[in-house]
Each structure stands twice: as structure tokens, then as C-alpha cells.
Amino acid sequence: MRAAILTIGDELTCGYRLDTNSQALSRRLALLPADMILHLSVGDDLEAIHRGLDVALEAADVVVITGGLGPTEDDLTRQAVAAHFGLGLVEDAEALARIRERFARFRRTMPESNRIQAQVPAGSTVIYNDRGTAAGFYLPTDGKHIFVTPGIPYEMMGMLETFILPRVRELVGTNHHVRRAALKVYGLPESGINERIQPLMARDRNPLLGLLPHRGTITIEITASGTTAQEADELLAADLETLRAELGRY
């Protein structure tokens, strides 16, 4: 199952905010496991969102979109996704009631502009927001699975835990297991490590290895996949044994 993340917002493309959503989503989805192959950020622009959707949908089976579900004129995600698939927007009564209730809880009347946050593309499943006002939605179409959440990390994480992860876990199935480990290496440069373990670095093998340089250390990340947890554990253990033998005191 190949997955892509599309984050939307001028604050991301202009550098005012750091995109922490992609990191959080990738860490959780990769453990299901889903193969995270693309992170893409675009601004609050209809054409940019359309192009981003084209790229993400061509690359992946699962696309998670965050951001652009607010009540103001620059929040265009729901409109862009609906238009991309030739769908209209429909108002969800429960989502609207939740928004009104949230404002009432703080003794305030819901501004009419917030009403749009209860709208989702026709045919999609509403992802209700227990942590904010904007409803998210899930749209399966043409063999693809599109999840859309608010960009506020706290609200996105709520939808990830309660809706997205369970649904993607169903799509992945139960016959795919992943195990991960990391080794810290000191005293050898990245190129020196690569020379010692080059047969293990092939990109078409399982486990898959990656080298991550830091100040003073190199981390070797090992990701093993198997049809059972035991198979994944055994593959990981075998590579760890080989790596320790090859790198010795380092």
C-alpha cells in the first residue's frame, strides 16, 4: 500500500510554519505498514491544489491531505477536492450540529461563515472533529483512498487515531508486518560504512537499509518486512548480526 501526504497552506510554502503533520503521519502510517513515498506541500491556491492532487494520486493508493478546511476565503481544500472529481458540496447535519454545540459551550453564537466547515464532497464519509470545528472526510474513488483533515496538528491527530489508521489498517490487511531497528555508528564516515556493508545496501532487498548522518554519528536504519511477525523479526535479527560483525568496534 503506497501512501502520499499533501499538506496545504501558504504558511507552509512561505516558511512561516514547519510542516510537522507529514512527519507525524508518516511515522504512524509506516508502522501499519504503508509505504510512504511522497510528501508535497502547496499553497492556498485552487490550481496548486489540483496539481498537487494529480501528483499524489498518480504516485499512491492512499493520499492524506491536511489543511485548508477553515471558514475563510483562503481555505479552499474542500472546494478543490470536490471540483477535482466533479462533485458538489453537501452539508452534513451532524457536523453542523457539532459546530454549533462547540460555540455554545463557550457561550458564543456560531458565525455563519463557520457553516462551510460542515460541508463535504458528495459521496464522501464525514470524519467528525472532536477537537475543533472543521469536519474532515474520506473519499474512496477509482481505487484510491483520500483522507482530508484540518491542518491543526491536534485536530489532525484526533482524526488519524480514530478514523484514518483503522481504515488504512483494513486496506493493508493482516499479512504484512514490519519491524524496525537503528544502529549508531561512531568513528567511520558514511562512505566507509557503505563500503563495509555494500551488499546490504541494495534498494531491492529485504530488509531495507538507510544511512542517516548526524554530527559525530551515523545511524543505520533497518526495516524488515514479512508475511508474519516472526518472519520480519528473523530477517531483522539476521541483518543486525551481520552489521555488528562487519562494523565491529565502531
Side-chain angles (χ1 to χ4, degrees), residues 14-33:
C14 293
Y16 296 138
R17 291 285 178 88
L18 183 66
D19 173 22
T20 59
N21 282 343
S22 291
Q23 181 184 39
L25 284 163
S26 293
R27 285 182 171 179
R28 297 306 308 280
L29 289 169
L31 294 175
L32 293 179

Side-chain angles (χ1 to χ4, degrees), residues 168-221:
V168 177
R169 191 175 289 114
E170 291 176 1
L171 296 172
V172 171
T174 58
N175 63 341
H176 195 178
H177 298 261
V178 169
R179 295 292 185 268
R180 300 177 187 274
L183 288 180
K184 299 288 187 181
V185 182
Y186 303 85
L188 278 177
E190 186 177 6
S191 56
I193 296 170
N194 187 74
E195 288 179 0
R196 287 171 178 252
I197 65 171
Q198 196 163 23
L200 302 182
M201 294 295 294
R203 304 308 294 167
D204 59 351
R205 72 180 296 272
N206 178 30
L208 186 65
L209 272 61
L211 301 183
L212 301 176
H214 307 281
R215 296 179 64 181
T217 69
I218 306 291
T219 300
I220 305 175
E221 290 197 341

